[in-house]
Amino acid sequence: GLREGTSMASILRRGDSYSVRFKYKDHAGRICEGWESFKTKKEAQDRKISVEKELLDGTFLIPDAMTVAEMLYKWLPIQSSKHKWAPKTYTHTVAMIQNLVVPYLGKKQIQKVQTYDLEQFYATLSRTPRGLYKQGVKQTLTDKQKRQFLTGASIREVHAMLKTAFSYAVEWGLLLKSPIPREAPKSTSEERAIWDEKTMLAALQTMTDPTLHLAVHLSMILSLRVGEILGLQPGDIDFDAADGRGTITVGRSLQRTEKAALEKTDPNQIYHIFPDQREGSSSALVLKKPKTKKSSRTLYLTRPLKEELLAWLEKLRQDELAMDGRYRNCGQLFRLPNGMPVAPEALSKWYRTWRAEHPEFEKIVFHGLRHSSATYQLIESGGNIKAVQGNTGHATTGILMDTYAHTQDKPRLELAEKLEADFYSQDIGSPKSGSVPVKENLPDGIQITPEGMLKVVRQMNPEQRREFTRLLFA
């Protein structure tokens, strides 16, 4: 064919197409030869100029056949070790990669992934059954599960993972820039189903199993997560604290995790691994550090909850006596009659059994009790976000308010009703030109005028001023 070019790159004509040939050094420093084909001579000439420039200024992207799946499995242990992941985080991320990313993008070479591919991928995920978003293996989905799609929050989680992983590929020199869209997919998550305070109390009064009753009571009053409830120990309770009100301290979480994940995550996250109750089990019950730093917290008991805890401790003593030396005290507050720990899946099963026996209550998952509790606390406290955050253990107030934004509906409805009552009942009379009608008989003689409002604000203490500002912009 016809040859044009320099020592760095050349163009060869092959039949009806043109190829640009160039030499470069690979990741190991070896000299390699690359070829790129184009339909027209003009395209080939443009590419020849650009590839020579890239080779000179060091921006040439060394061809690499690494796939998305290979890149993610290379990134996974590095990320896990760097951020000291808990076993559940590791298992959850593996599930995202295996069940959501690999089936759609796994075989695609990372250097050929475009932003458009990711946008199409997110659109596909929005039509993916939620049942696939599980830990590890393929499942047989029911018709109902097939109709329940991934939430926006789950897709955003996948986006955040890919964004981090592809940033590593850039650092490794495999990509010039990440193809991940700058904006995360819009959230389309549904509002969580919750119970109001009357429903919570009515449901609690129907629970006759003492283990389930105490667990549900703790979740409703203290907004505890399942793992936090089962992670409690008798020593966490101080019945004499707070002038006899009593407190309970949350400092660990009990979870079931895959043994394989334990080997690949930070051992400092684990306080204790319980012995297997079934020989050859691939998973283990572990006591681990709480979800976030804010999750470690001390909570105040109510009188009924305090009385129930005292009765529960007496039950544990009776169980131990009844076993006549065969009792295996695991040290947890929640134990089986033989002294072994109550597993999260057992508590969930008991709750589902109760729920099936009481169809008069709207179906919510056990974690929905925590959401119900937090919502009730926000409303009862008049929106005291910091106080409620101290109880729920959310990492930030922002997360708390994003999760429970719907709690603002009731105060806003009450505000609309108050505006309607006050606005339309004003006695406007015949005001003089330029005057502003004001309300009479306000406390301390303050009138609702701009000057009067400023006087009120100036007289507020810092806490009142913050609360006023929050209400003003809610």
Side-chain angles (χ1 to χ4, degrees), residues 67-229:
T67 64
V68 172
E70 291 168 342
M71 183 266 291
L72 288 174
Y73 288 123
K74 179 181 179 181
W75 160 82
L76 184 65
I78 297 173
Q79 184 76 351
S80 174
S81 176
K82 180 179 179 180
H83 293 280
K84 302 184 186 306
W85 279 357
K88 188 174 181 181
T89 305
Y90 182 89
T91 307
H92 182 69
T93 307
V94 169
M96 280 197 290
I97 294 172
Q98 289 181 346
N99 299 334
L100 300 182
V101 181
V102 169
Y104 302 104
L105 296 174
K107 294 181 180 178
K108 196 172 184 69
Q109 292 182 14
I110 58 171
Q111 292 183 346
K112 294 183 179 180
V113 176
Q114 303 294 319
T115 301
Y116 173 78
D117 298 324
L118 273 302
E119 291 170 343
Q120 290 295 105
F121 170 58
Y122 296 150
T124 300
L125 288 187
S126 68
R127 301 185 297 274
T128 298
R130 196 181 304 174
L132 290 177
Y133 195 44
K134 297 290 182 184
Q135 298 180 358
V137 296
K138 292 183 179 179
Q139 307 165 63
T140 302
L141 303 179
T142 65
D143 290 339
K144 182 178 180 181
Q145 287 173 322
K146 290 176 183 177
R147 293 192 299 269
Q148 295 174 329
F149 300 124
L150 284 180
T151 63
S154 297
I155 298 172
R156 290 167 74 90
E157 207 174 355
V158 175
H159 168 81
M161 179 193 70
L162 290 176
K163 186 175 181 180
T164 303
F166 271 92
S167 72
Y168 273 70
V170 174
E171 288 181 20
W172 295 335
L174 301 176
L175 299 173
L176 289 179
K177 66 175 185 177
S178 172
I180 304 299
R182 186 172 299 176
E183 297 295 325
K186 291 182 179 178
S187 180
T188 57
S189 56
E190 301 169 4
E191 186 177 300
R192 293 174 172 88
I194 59 171
W195 287 339
D196 61 21
E197 62 273 24
K198 291 181 180 178
T199 306
M200 283 195 286
L201 181 59
L204 185 64
Q205 290 175 346
T206 69
M207 295 180 182
T208 55
D209 179 83
T211 310
L212 181 62
H213 190 285
L214 179 58
V216 169
H217 199 179
L218 285 164
S219 185
M220 286 180 173
I221 299 300
L222 303 181
S223 303
L224 295 180
R225 303 173 176 96
V226 171
E228 292 172 340
I229 293 170

Side-chain angles (χ1 to χ4, degrees), residues 453-464:
M453 286 299 296
L454 284 172
K455 188 173 181 179
V456 170
V457 173
R458 290 189 185 109
Q459 291 175 354
M460 292 178 179
N461 62 39
E463 183 61 34
Q464 290 172 327

Side-chain angles (χ1 to χ4, degrees), residues 340-396:
M340 294 300 288
V342 174
E345 61 270 20
L347 181 58
S348 296
K349 181 181 178 181
W350 298 336
Y351 173 72
R352 288 196 302 271
T353 299
W354 169 86
R355 200 175 60 182
E357 294 170 352
H358 293 272
E360 67 270 25
F361 296 105
E362 181 184 4
K363 280 190 177 182
I364 64 171
V365 296
F366 194 99
H367 195 70
L369 302 174
R370 169 175 158 83
H371 294 307
S372 302
S373 171
T375 300
Y376 178 50
Q377 289 186 48
L378 278 168
I379 293 172
E380 282 296 293
S381 67
N384 191 331
I385 302 168
K386 292 299 291 184
V388 176
Q389 183 200 8
N391 282 352
T392 62
H394 282 92
T396 66

Side-chain angles (χ1 to χ4, degrees), residues 8 47-60:
M8 295 185 70
R47 177 53 182 156
K48 174 179 174 293
I49 293 169
S50 66
V51 79
E52 287 177 343
K53 180 178 182 301
E54 290 169 7
L55 289 167
L56 282 172
D57 62 21
T59 60
F60 176 75

Side-chain angles (χ1 to χ4, degrees), residues 326-340:
R326 293 171 293 135
Y327 194 78
R328 299 169 64 189
N329 189 342
C330 66
Q332 297 305 107
L333 179 65
F334 280 83
R335 303 175 208 161
L336 299 170
N338 64 359
M340 294 300 288

